[in-house]
Amino acid sequence: MELFVFALATLGLADSVSYMIVMPSLSFYITSLGGSQDFYGFVLAIYSFMSFCGKPILGRWSDATSFKIPYMVSISFSVFGGFLYAIAPVFTNNQTALASVALGRIFGGLGRANSALNFAYVARACEAKDRTSITVLLGGVQMIGMAIAPLFSATLVNADFTFCGVHFDNLNSVG
């Protein structure tokens, strides 16, 4: 397996696990911060909507330059989004905490837009005879990530620690 395929598969796996590990606890997290089920619906939808909006932007950007910069920016957005999601309980004002979760999911969705770059890179960089098998591999890895995410969630059920002044529990440690 070529190194770039391994890298794309690893990032696709991480993206899928990250997406699926947040979903089961998101409603409880929003409620614990004083949010409503309507706000939960908004936060749930905004992630996918931002991913949808970000894909053509990242695609155009990668067409105009190379894949490296848009990909690294999208990964940075994902990390920053996870950070905002995780630190939301630090804010004593519920509205600020909920805004932190929403912004975290917005940045996370923009970061998740890089999934389209994986397949675009394969289309551009691989020979025609290899494209189908590599595309199937990347799609399969994403599905595996979604299937194994509950295992990672199970390891966080008893999370209860403080790091750099931020208390992490089973709700925000997934960010």
Side-chain angles (χ1 to χ4, degrees):
M1 179 185 310
E2 293 188 50
L3 184 59
F4 81 90
V5 175
F6 179 75
L8 292 177
T10 301
L11 290 169
L13 179 71
D15 274 349
S16 294
V17 168
S18 171
Y19 176 75
M20 290 304 292
I21 206 169
V22 168
M23 290 307 114
S25 63
L26 184 60
S27 176
F28 301 110
Y29 192 37
I30 295 292
T31 302
S32 75
L33 297 172
S36 66
Q37 288 301 301
D38 290 337
F39 188 75
Y40 161 68
F42 167 76
V43 171
L44 190 62
I46 196 70
Y47 179 89
S48 295
F49 181 72
M50 293 312 293
S51 177
F52 169 77
C53 291
K55 286 178 183 181
I57 295 167
L58 283 178
R60 179 76 172 125
W61 188 10
S62 71
D63 287 344
T65 60
S66 72
F67 281 94
K68 290 180 185 176
I69 295 171
Y71 213 94
M72 295 309 293
V73 168
S74 67
I75 290 170
S76 299
F77 278 7
S78 289
V79 170
F80 184 62
F83 173 76
L84 289 174
Y85 183 91
I87 66 161
V90 169
F91 300 106
T92 54
N93 180 322
N94 284 359
Q95 296 304 317
T96 306
L98 292 168
S100 181
V101 171
L103 282 172
R105 298 308 288 161
I106 287 169
F107 277 98
L110 287 170
R112 177 72 172 130
N114 69 16
S115 62
L117 290 181
N118 289 354
F119 297 105
Y121 185 78
V122 169
R124 187 184 294 174
C126 296
E127 294 181 33
K129 67 180 180 60
D130 297 328
R131 285 186 198 133
T132 301
S133 61
I134 293 172
T135 300
V136 168
L137 173 76
L138 294 178
V141 166
Q142 286 184 344
M143 293 303 110
I144 290 169
M146 290 182 176
I148 65 171
L151 295 173
F152 290 98
S153 291
T155 65
L156 298 172
V157 166
N158 296 319
D160 187 21
F161 61 94
T162 301
F163 180 73
C164 294
V166 178
H167 180 260
F168 291 91
D169 59 21
N170 61 333
L171 298 177
N172 70 332
S173 61
V174 300

